[in-house]
């Protein structure tokens, strides 16, 4: 077995040193009837065989890059420079652990410090942590943090928040004993959230651009929240938007969370991705997750360490701010490396190119008979109202080689109002030919 | 001076040691500034300027980002230099107990990067991702076979997330039984911090289970704590002392008899995978850290993946989404209503936006297919053999915390350092200078000055012999009164770092200072 270095001779010699006759003498504490249970699994295989088996499974899927692709709603296909994947496969990054021994983990710690700085700048906030699992769990953690800060027990969720995010918030907040008020789906972005705030409201959770693609300015809502002692949580599921669109901080968010996948991380069928989490400096001790901070070593040289760990489960146990341990370190590295390559200049271009492609797509698709653009002000994603069931149209488009977007029925299966909605995303990867192919196919199937 | 045939010196002449270098670099150890401490305004990605006027209106970003962009050669050099300040499994033994730092096969990385896995979207039509759903289903089958359990929830994103999933299922099952008065969860003092943190997150109070003198759950003390208000016990097996809970069946029976559930923390499943099925031990729920047992890389702190196997009693309370196979076609069940007719009474809900850590699933299945049932079992046996070999080799100079053999990790306390002035942390930092990553220190909390060594199956006997010799030499230095250990490490990229100062005055991001201004 190519992964196991011990030889039969080694094993014999080692058993002798230990002073036992057989390996099962080391498993003496296992109940006899449970030891060496019969397990019905195939024997080991060589690389070639494994590649064949997994390659056959991979070949049954239709990759985004194989043709026109317009799927978004929380995960986006952007181009990632080749150097990013090389960097994250460096052994010293890939095969290292959480940097609990900082003297020999300055590489990881420094990129986390740089990551935190970039994330805080992008979201327009004062401090960011070293990543969460993904945007949806970051969002749920934000609601729990608002509960700790305000000592209140009611969460108000915008009808423009990605419904899967809303569901994750509900799972976690109800578990903590809070009530969660999820507003009805709001295609045009016209809901009055300020009217939903009461004296027990810990936070209002909104998304920009929202799940339908609407650009929404929450500055007035931030004022209403502040007057009531309620925290405003702004979610960003398309991190690339931050290169061109008003940031959560600019609107007055108290906590900003995001899905960072768009920068540096492939679609991966939904995971792993990387959660972004940022807030105001004054709330730092209520934050979940790991934080990297600057300090000095015994010779006075600058170095970095994990810090404020008295918030965390390995120190505080049942009093911790969160149970999170592992985060999304390597995806955070991909994010920060891609962001370092882009810089402000590159990110703005990538952002505006995505916006430009979406504008072209919206113009082309909304001129197809039976299609109406439901969200006139958008960044790189918009919602169409179709004259037919969108899920059926998406299947018909797929059979023509076009992945046309996310049908409303997929996200709101219990809401008939969503059946004719189609959420369409474009990025800098989208070509004029992709848009023309899509418009043509749509006119054929509609 | 010794010369070779070309007249080139082949040996340095004796000289006094130099002072600090001009650059601060030390040969291969190169000091690297932050990306923010250089000229701003560039970019390392060639993208065209957009042609059309944007339609963002008042929603356009107002303030500058002030983030630098580096050319590709500068960026590569930055990250490669940083990488060289890290220790890694690929460099040497990484014996962090409880963390399971085993070799990460590169085939798994290659497989996870196939466009058919990496470049597919979680919300594209299910008809276009049948191979991906097949892979999730296949991996689930392997996990069920290895654990002897009837159901598995695949979506949790890491071990602690899996704990949350399992404890949520327990809470939901109790609610469905109308037993809302069960508010207490029992967990050993030696438990991972995630156990009490998770129980608290689910609204339970947490009560300690004392350990007996052999480092295991004290069965009679546990029984005394059981009652009608107990929701569950959370027990790690093998436990965090590296020992198998030999009363495990009696523990499970006692909890079930009292009406509670048995949550098993599966962080140490790697010690028994292929040898023992948790389903045969009375477990109701157990998470499996794919990044430990099945070697998807730790990546400097994630991403992980934490599927949870569930007993028949808890299976109805699994979260959405999950994959089912019907008439040769794979289907992703994404909503509660679609999942169950009586969904109104079911919890489960949703734990994450999408379907779990697909990238980790591919790597884990690649690991499993490569090892096979026989290799997985051999890996567990070798992990246990290696840990016991280390225990046997070190016990002449170091003090095992408990008598007898161990499972996959060997636990020592600090009594062999008593009176030397050297503490566990000094011993650990001394290991750094010898070229090793330290073992887990000061955990579990039940052992004074704990040192928890998990070599894993990836170490050869030759590597272990050198490792043990090095540790014995450090122990002898400590006992001989070598005070230099108090200052270790000396040869690492940094000396000991001031963690107290970092926490007292948190500096969590770079900010422009008078000397380093961002170019507009």
């Amino acid at each position: 077995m190519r992964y196991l270095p011990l030889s039969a001779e080694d094993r014999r010699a080692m058993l002798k040193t230990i002073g036992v006759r057989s390996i099962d003498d080391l498993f003496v504490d296992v109940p006899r009837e449970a030891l060496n249970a019969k397990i019905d699994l195939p024997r080991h295989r060589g690389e070639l065989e494994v590649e064949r088996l997994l390659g056959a499974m991979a070949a049954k899927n239709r990759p985004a890059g194989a043709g026109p692709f317009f799927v978004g709603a929380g995960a986006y296909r952007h181009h990632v420079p080749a150097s990013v994947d090389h960097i994250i496969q460096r052994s010293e990054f890939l095969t290292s652990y959480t940097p609990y021994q900082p003297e020999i983990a300055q590489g990881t710690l420094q990129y986390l410090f740089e990551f935190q700085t970039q994330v805080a700048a992008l979201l327009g906030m004062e401090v960011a942590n070293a990543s969460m699992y993904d945007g949806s769990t970051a969002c749920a953690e934000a609601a729990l943090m608002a509960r700790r800060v305000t000592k209140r027990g009611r969460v108000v969720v915008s009808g423009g928040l990605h419904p899967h995010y809303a569901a994750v918030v509900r799972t976690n907040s109800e578990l903590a004993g809070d009530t969660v008020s999820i507003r009805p789906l709001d295609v045009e972005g016209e809901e009055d959230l300020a009217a939903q705030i009461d004296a027990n409201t810990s936070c209002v959770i909104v998304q920009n651009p929202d799940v339908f693609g609407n650009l929404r300015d929450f500055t007035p809502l931030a004022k209403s929240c502040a007057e009531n002692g309620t925290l405003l949580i702004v979610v960003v599921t398309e991190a690339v938007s931050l290169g061109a669109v008003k940031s959560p901080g600019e609107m007055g968010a108290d906590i900003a969370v995001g899905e960072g996948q768009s920068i540096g991380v492939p679609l991966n069928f939904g995971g792993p991705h990387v959660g972004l989490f940022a807030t105001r400096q004054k709330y730092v001790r209520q934050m979940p997750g790991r934080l990297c901070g600057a300090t000095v070593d015994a010779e006075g040289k600058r170095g970095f360490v994990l810090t404020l760990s008295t918030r965390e489960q390995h120190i505080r146990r049942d009093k911790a701010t969160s149970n999170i341990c592992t985060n999304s370190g390597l995806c955070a590295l991909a994010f920060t490396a891609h962001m370092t390559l882009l810089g402000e200049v590159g990110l703005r271009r990538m952002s505006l190119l995505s916006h430009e492609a979406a504008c072209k797509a919206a113009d082309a698709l909304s001129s197809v008979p039976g299609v109406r653009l439901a969200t006139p002000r958008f960044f790189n994603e918009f919602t169409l109202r179709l004259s037919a069931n969108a899920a059926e149209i998406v299947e018909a488009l797929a059979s023509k080689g076009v992945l046309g977007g996310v049908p409303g029925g997929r996200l709101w299966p219990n809401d008939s109002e969503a059946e004719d909605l189609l959420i369409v995303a474009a990025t800098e990867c989208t070509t004029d030919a992709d848009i023309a192919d899509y418009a043509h196919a749509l006119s054929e199937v509609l | 001076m010794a010369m070779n045939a070309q007249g080139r010196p082949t040996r340095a002449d004796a000289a006094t040691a130099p002072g600090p270098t001009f650059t601060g670099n030390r040969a291969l150890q190169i000091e690297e500034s932050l990306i923010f401490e250089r000229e701003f305004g560039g970019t390392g990605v060639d993208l065209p300027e957009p042609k059309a006027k944007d339609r963002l209106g008042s929603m356009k970003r107002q303030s500058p980002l002030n983030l630098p962009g580096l050319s590709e050669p500068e960026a590569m050099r930055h990250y490669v230099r940083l990488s060289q300040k890290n220790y890694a499994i690929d460099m040497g033994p990484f014996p962090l107990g409880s963390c399971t730092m085993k070799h990460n096969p590169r085939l798994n990385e290659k497989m996870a990067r196939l466009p058919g896995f990496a470049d597919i979207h979680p919300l594209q039509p299910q008809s276009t991702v049948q191979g991906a759903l097949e892979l999730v289903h296949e991996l689930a089958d392997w996990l069920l076979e290895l654990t002897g359990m009837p159901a598995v929830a695949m979506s949790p994103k890491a071990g602690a997330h899996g704990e949350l999933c399992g404890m949520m299922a327990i809470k939901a099952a109790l609610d469905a039984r109308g037993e809302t008065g069960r508010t207490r969860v029992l967990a050993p003092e030696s438990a991972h911090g995630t156990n009490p943190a998770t129980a608290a997150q689910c609204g339970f109070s947490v009560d300690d289970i004392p350990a007996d003198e052999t480092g295991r759950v004290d069965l009679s003390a546990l029984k005394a704590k059981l009652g009608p208000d107990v929701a569950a016990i959370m027990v790690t097996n093998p436990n965090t002392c590296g020992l198998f809970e030999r009363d495990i069946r009696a523990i499970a029976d006692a909890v079930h008899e009292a009406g509670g559930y048995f949550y098993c923390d599966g962080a140490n499943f790697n010690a028994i995978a292929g040898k023992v099925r948790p389903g045969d031990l009375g477990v109701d729920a157990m998470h499996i850290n794919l990044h430990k047992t099945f070697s998807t890389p730790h990546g400097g702190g994630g991403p992980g993946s934490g599927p949870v196997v569930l007993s028949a009693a808890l299976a109805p309370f699994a979260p959405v989404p999950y994959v089912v196979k019907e008439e040769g076609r794979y289907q992703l069940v994404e909503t509660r209503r679609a999942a169950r007719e009586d969904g109104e009474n079911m919890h489960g809900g949703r734990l994450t936006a999408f379907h779990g850590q697909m990238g980790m699933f591919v790597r884990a299945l690649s690991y499993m297919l490569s090892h096979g049932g026989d290799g997985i079992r051999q890996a567990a046996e070798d992990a246990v053999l290696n840990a016991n070999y280390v225990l046997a080799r070190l016990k002449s100079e170091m003090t095992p915390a408990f008598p007898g053999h161990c499972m996959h990790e060997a636990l020592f306390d600090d009594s062999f350092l008593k009176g030397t002035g050297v503490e566990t942390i000094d011993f650990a930092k001394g290991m750094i200078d010898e070229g090793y990553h330290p073992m887990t220190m000061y955990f579990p909390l039940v052992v004074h000055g704990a040192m928890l060594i998990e070599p894993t199956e990836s170490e050869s006997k030759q590597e272990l012999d050198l490792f043990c010799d090095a540790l014995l030499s450090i122990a002898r230095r400590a006992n001989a009164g070598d005070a230099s250990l108090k200052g270790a490490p000396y040869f690492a990229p940094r000396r000991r770092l001031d963690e107290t100062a970092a926490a007292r005055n948190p500096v969590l991001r770079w900010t422009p200072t008078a000397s380093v201004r961002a170019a507009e």
Side-chain angles (χ1 to χ4, degrees):
Chain A
M1 223 280 103
R2 61 190 179 278
Y3 300 131
L4 301 174
L6 296 184
S7 67
E9 181 48 45
D10 290 334
R11 292 184 184 112
R12 271 194 297 275
M14 292 165 79
L15 287 170
K16 198 173 167 205
T17 303
I18 296 163
V20 295
R21 295 164 64 96
S22 81
I23 187 73
D24 282 345
D25 292 344
L26 300 174
F27 286 82
V28 284
D29 292 328
V30 177
R32 285 296 98 182
E33 66 279 11
L35 187 63
N36 297 326
K38 180 163 165 25
I39 286 169
D40 185 18
L41 291 171
R43 287 178 58 77
H44 64 272
R45 292 179 170 97
E47 280 207 13
L48 183 58
E49 270 184 284
V50 176
E51 285 190 35
R52 276 193 196 120
L53 287 168
L54 292 174
M57 286 187 207
K60 292 176 194 164
N61 306 318
R62 197 287 212 179
F69 179 84
F70 294 85
V71 191
Y76 301 88
R77 179 167 188 265
H78 289 280
H79 182 259
V80 181
S83 52
V84 171
D85 196 43
H86 179 86
I87 288 165
I88 69 168
Q89 287 199 74
R90 290 277 310 183
S91 284
E92 302 91 328
F93 291 134
L94 184 76
T95 78
S96 62
Y97 194 70
T98 304
Y100 288 136
Q101 296 285 347
E103 299 87 354
I104 47 171
Q106 285 298 303
T108 298
L109 286 159
Q110 185 169 330
Y111 84 62
L112 289 177
F113 188 80
E114 293 174 347
F115 171 83
Q116 289 175 183
T117 304
Q118 289 169 327
V119 171
L122 285 165
L123 292 169
M125 305 298 288
E126 289 168 349
V127 288
N129 77 7
S131 82
M132 309 296 286
Y133 305 134
D134 67 6
S136 66
T137 63
C139 182
E141 290 274 11
L144 295 175
M145 177 172 141
R147 176 183 203 265
R148 291 192 293 277
V149 170
T150 64
K151 312 231 170 2
R152 296 179 186 178
R154 180 168 170 268
V155 178
V156 173
V157 176
S158 159
L161 180 66
H162 193 298
H164 291 176
Y165 281 51
V168 178
V169 168
R170 182 162 67 186
T171 300
N172 284 270
S173 287
E174 286 184 353
L175 210 51
D178 287 357
T179 55
V180 180
S181 167
I182 300 177
R183 307 306 304 156
L185 113 178
D186 178 36
V187 184
E188 275 80 30
E190 288 165 345
E191 62 193 346
D192 180 6
L193 290 166
Q196 299 299 320
I197 302 173
D198 67 13
N200 189 37
T201 305
S202 60
C203 58
V204 179
I205 308 180
V206 296
Q207 180 178 327
N208 183 54
D210 72 13
V211 68
F212 304 100
N214 293 300
L215 286 168
R216 293 172 67 172
D217 193 343
F218 296 108
T219 310
L221 180 62
K223 285 204 185 71
S224 303
C225 285
E227 282 162 15
N228 192 58
T230 294
L231 302 193
L232 178 65
I233 298 172
V234 178
V235 178
V236 177
T237 63
E238 168 51 298
V240 167
S241 71
L242 295 164
V245 170
K246 206 179 252 193
S247 70
E250 287 176 305
M251 297 184 199
D254 296 290
I255 306 174
V257 297
E259 174 51 69
Q261 172 270 327
S262 284
I263 300 178
V265 182
L267 290 167
N268 285 336
F269 199 45
H273 290 172
V274 51
L276 314 179
F277 194 109
T279 187
R280 300 180 189 278
Q281 179 78 36
K282 65 179 176 181
Y283 298 139
V284 71
R285 284 168 205 276
Q286 292 297 338
M287 280 176 94
R290 292 178 186 143
L291 286 166
C292 171
T295 187
V296 292
D297 78 352
E299 291 176 350
K301 287 184 186 162
R302 180 175 67 187
F304 303 93
V305 293
L306 291 179
T307 192
L308 300 179
S309 53
T310 50
R311 300 164 299 114
E312 293 186 72
Q313 47 76 26
H314 62 284
I315 307 290
R316 193 56 72 83
R317 302 176 78 83
D318 57 328
K319 304 286 191 298
T321 56
S322 166
N323 76 338
I324 192 169
C325 178
T326 295
N327 59 15
S328 203
L330 206 65
C331 297
L333 174 59
F335 180 101
T336 187
H338 191 186
M339 193 57 232
T340 294
L341 284 159
L342 285 167
E344 179 162 7
V345 175
L347 180 66
R348 193 178 60 242
R349 281 184 197 151
M350 188 165 156
S351 193
L352 289 172
L353 287 168
S354 299
H355 174 60
E356 188 176 72
C359 290
K360 285 183 191 168
D363 291 350
L365 298 175
S366 59
S367 65
V368 172
V371 179
R372 186 170 68 77
L373 178 65
T375 57
R377 202 161 60 141
F378 57 84
F379 168 64
N380 73 333
E381 190 160 26
F382 51 86
T383 296
L384 301 175
R385 258 191 209 284
L386 306 182
S387 58
N389 181 298
E392 288 165 15
I393 295 298
V394 164
E395 283 292 344
L397 287 168
S399 65
K400 288 182 172 293
V402 175
L403 295 183
V406 181
R410 181 92 187 252
L411 293 177
W412 295 272
N414 304 329
D415 195 333
S416 58
E417 209 210 312
E419 280 174 8
D420 62 352
L421 299 177
L422 178 57
I423 301 174
V424 180
T427 71
E428 78 288 350
C429 298
T430 311
T431 65
D432 290 350
D434 291 339
I435 294 169
D437 287 351
Y438 187 4
H440 180 69
L442 188 58
S443 66
E444 284 184 336
V445 299
L446 202 58
Chain B
M1 188 183 288
M3 301 270 188
N4 67 9
Q6 284 82 40
R8 185 175 167 215
T10 57
R11 194 171 66 204
D13 289 331
T16 52
T21 58
F22 174 76
T23 54
N25 300 336
R26 279 169 291 180
L28 296 181
Q29 285 182 32
I30 299 175
E31 292 296 311
E32 180 64 2
S33 60
L34 292 163
I35 54 170
F36 312 107
E37 294 163 340
R38 55 181 83 208
E39 288 295 312
F40 281 41
T43 181
V45 179
D46 289 331
L47 287 168
E49 279 293 340
K51 292 187 208 73
K53 189 176 166 345
D54 72 73
R55 303 180 193 171
L56 298 170
S58 64
M59 285 301 290
K60 208 165 177 172
R61 186 172 187 118
Q62 305 298 312
S63 49
L65 280 165
N66 283 332
L67 291 177
L70 273 56
S71 67
E72 183 171 315
E74 291 174 290
M76 284 307 298
R77 197 169 277 174
H78 178 69
Y79 290 105
V80 170
R81 284 176 176 173
L82 288 188
S83 76
Q84 292 178 328
K85 301 176 195 306
N86 269 7
Y87 194 85
I89 316 162
D90 284 349
M91 295 162 67
F94 209 128
L96 271 178
S98 222
C99 301
T100 311
M101 298 297 284
K102 60 169 77 172
H103 173 65
N104 301 129
R106 290 313 194 276
L107 173 64
N108 307 354
E109 296 300 313
K110 183 179 177 184
M111 294 297 96
R113 283 168 172 78
L114 292 172
F117 295 135
D119 193 28
I120 54 173
H121 192 287
L123 298 175
Q124 66 186 68
Q126 294 191 20
S127 58
T128 65
V129 290
Q130 284 293 300
L133 297 177
E134 179 185 350
L135 184 136
V136 178
H137 197 264
E138 177 77 9
L139 176 62
D141 277 349
W142 278 74
L143 294 174
L144 295 178
E145 182 63 26
L146 285 167
T147 57
M149 299 285 282
V152 59
M154 298 297 288
S155 71
K157 309 284 267 185
H161 208 217
E163 289 180 35
L164 191 62
C165 175
M167 293 305 287
M168 270 171 43
I170 288 172
K171 185 161 185 152
L174 290 170
D175 286 352
R177 278 162 42 185
E179 296 204 49
T180 51
R182 291 186 178 270
T183 56
R184 206 153 53 94
V185 166
L186 307 180
E189 295 165 89
S190 60
H192 295 113
T194 50
N195 293 177
T198 301
Q201 206 158 323
C202 292
F204 295 116
S205 65
V206 186
D207 202 355
D208 285 338
I209 309 171
D212 67 14
E213 68 284 358
T214 73
R216 295 170 176 87
V217 166
D218 184 329
L219 184 59
S220 56
L222 168 68
K223 283 181 174 168
K225 292 210 172 201
L226 287 170
D229 64 336
V230 169
I233 57 163
M234 297 181 84
V235 172
T236 310
N237 193 31
N239 69 23
T240 61
C241 300
L243 305 169
F244 195 91
E245 292 287 351
R246 59 169 79 107
D247 293 328
I248 193 74
R249 286 270 7 167
I251 292 169
D253 290 346
V255 171
H256 290 150
E257 212 164 286
Y261 292 98
F262 176 11
Y263 187 91
C264 182
D265 180 330
N268 294 335
F269 184 53
N270 59 306
I272 57 172
K275 291 281 285 182
V276 183
R277 301 189 308 172
D280 295 337
L281 304 174
V283 167
D284 289 300
M286 183 183 89
H287 71 266
I288 299 164
N289 305 75
L290 297 186
H291 50 294
K292 294 181 180 178
T293 302
F294 300 110
S295 187
T296 71
H298 282 73
S305 182
V308 180
V309 288
L310 298 166
S311 64
L314 295 182
F317 306 99
V320 290
Y322 54 85
V323 178
V324 294
K325 187 178 183 183
E326 279 167 0
E327 293 163 9
R329 192 176 173 280
Y330 296 93
Q331 199 202 335
L332 190 65
V333 178
E334 290 181 289
T335 66
R336 277 197 282 175
R337 203 173 74 174
R340 295 189 61 85
E341 287 305 312
D342 55 349
E344 291 307 307
N345 297 322
M346 295 292 172
H347 287 240
R350 178 178 273 279
L351 283 166
T352 173
F354 301 121
H355 327 314
Q357 305 283 58
M358 182 65 176
M360 306 295 116
F361 296 164
V362 179
R363 289 172 176 88
L365 187 60
S366 177
Y367 176 99
M368 291 179 181
L369 292 170
S370 294
H371 280 76
D374 57 325
I376 290 171
R377 180 193 186 124
Q378 186 67 59
E381 291 182 353
D382 284 359
V384 171
L385 181 65
N386 276 354
N388 278 283
Y389 185 68
V390 168
L391 181 65
R393 290 262 351 249
L394 296 183
K395 67 184 174 192
S396 59
E397 306 274 345
M398 294 170 62
T399 40
F402 299 103
H405 302 304
C406 61
M407 295 296 285
H408 63 300
E409 51 196 357
L411 179 61
F412 297 87
D413 63 23
D414 62 357
S415 51
F416 70 101
L417 295 173
K418 203 169 180 187
T420 64
V422 172
E423 297 172 54
T424 293
I425 190 166
D426 309 318
F427 191 95
K429 301 298 184 192
M431 286 172 68
I432 292 176
D433 280 338
E434 293 289 349
Y436 296 110
H437 194 284
M439 72 293 264
T440 292
M441 53 184 198
Y442 300 106
F443 179 85
L445 310 177
V446 293
V447 166
H448 199 271
M451 303 178 204
L452 186 62
I453 302 176
E454 179 177 7
T456 83
E457 70 276 15
S458 303
E459 300 305 331
S460 68
K461 179 172 178 295
Q462 189 179 6
E463 191 79 69
L464 287 180
D465 278 329
L466 184 59
F467 173 78
C468 292
D469 290 343
L471 263 61
L472 292 171
S473 83
I474 298 171
R476 282 192 287 267
R477 279 170 61 198
N479 277 296
D482 182 349
S484 72
L485 283 169
K486 301 293 287 181
Y490 297 92
F491 308 127
R494 283 291 178 274
R495 301 285 304 279
R496 275 191 221 188
L497 289 136
D498 190 342
E499 301 191 25
T500 310
R504 194 179 296 136
N505 176 30
V507 177
L508 307 176
R509 62 179 290 190
W510 175 85
T511 46
T513 62
S515 60
V516 191
R517 291 295 310 179
E520 296 301 322

